[in-house]
Amino acid sequence: QVQLVESGGGLVQAGGSLRLSCVASERTFSDYRINWFRQAPGKERVFVAGIWRTEMTFYADSSKGRFTISRDIAKNTIYLHMDNLKPEDTAVYYCNAHPINGGPNYWGQGTQVTVSS
């Protein structure tokens, strides 16, 4: 029943930056690992980055060195800051809440990121 709303997507030129936001309907700080996934047209949905509390962050190989996941605890908001964007980053980006103690995953509706060359 966690509601997740992504925003911040848009069209950006290669080499540019974008910050995505995921606003959760409730506190997820300790009880969930929050992840970003993305899905390009005709491709599988793949993991991008994840965070639990502030102590642990996780990145896909394609994200390392370019993307940073962070959060504003008070606002129940998780961010994905993306630098040096490439055309291959073009995808719909989804926020995911994975419960630490079991239960269903929750997904947002996604936000489109398009990187032009």
Side-chain angles (χ1 to χ4, degrees), residues 1-7 21-28 32-37 71 76-78 93-99 104-111:
Q1 62 184 11
V2 176
Q3 307 295 317
L4 304 169
V5 180
E6 304 97 329
S7 63
S21 299
C22 171
V23 180
S25 61
E26 63 185 74
R27 179 179 172 89
T28 61
Y32 295 85
R33 176 173 138 169
I34 306 298
N35 306 292
W36 287 95
F37 286 75
R71 73 198 310 157
N76 289 331
T77 300
I78 298 87
Y93 284 71
Y94 296 92
C95 187
N96 158 264
H98 176 80
N105 281 262
Y106 297 94
W107 296 88
Q109 297 300 306
T111 185

Side-chain angles (χ1 to χ4, degrees), residues 11-15 86-87 90 114-117:
L11 195 157
V12 63
Q13 293 185 357
K86 304 175 181 179
T90 295
T114 302
V115 184
S116 62
S117 59

Side-chain angles (χ1 to χ4, degrees), residues 64-93:
K64 293 177 181 177
R66 298 190 300 128
F67 295 1
T68 303
I69 190 168
S70 62
R71 73 198 310 157
D72 185 327
I73 300 169
K75 294 182 178 181
N76 289 331
T77 300
I78 298 87
Y79 302 101
L80 182 68
H81 185 90
M82 304 182 290
D83 285 323
N84 192 25
L85 284 161
K86 304 175 181 179
E88 51 263 44
D89 295 319
T90 295
V92 177
Y93 284 71

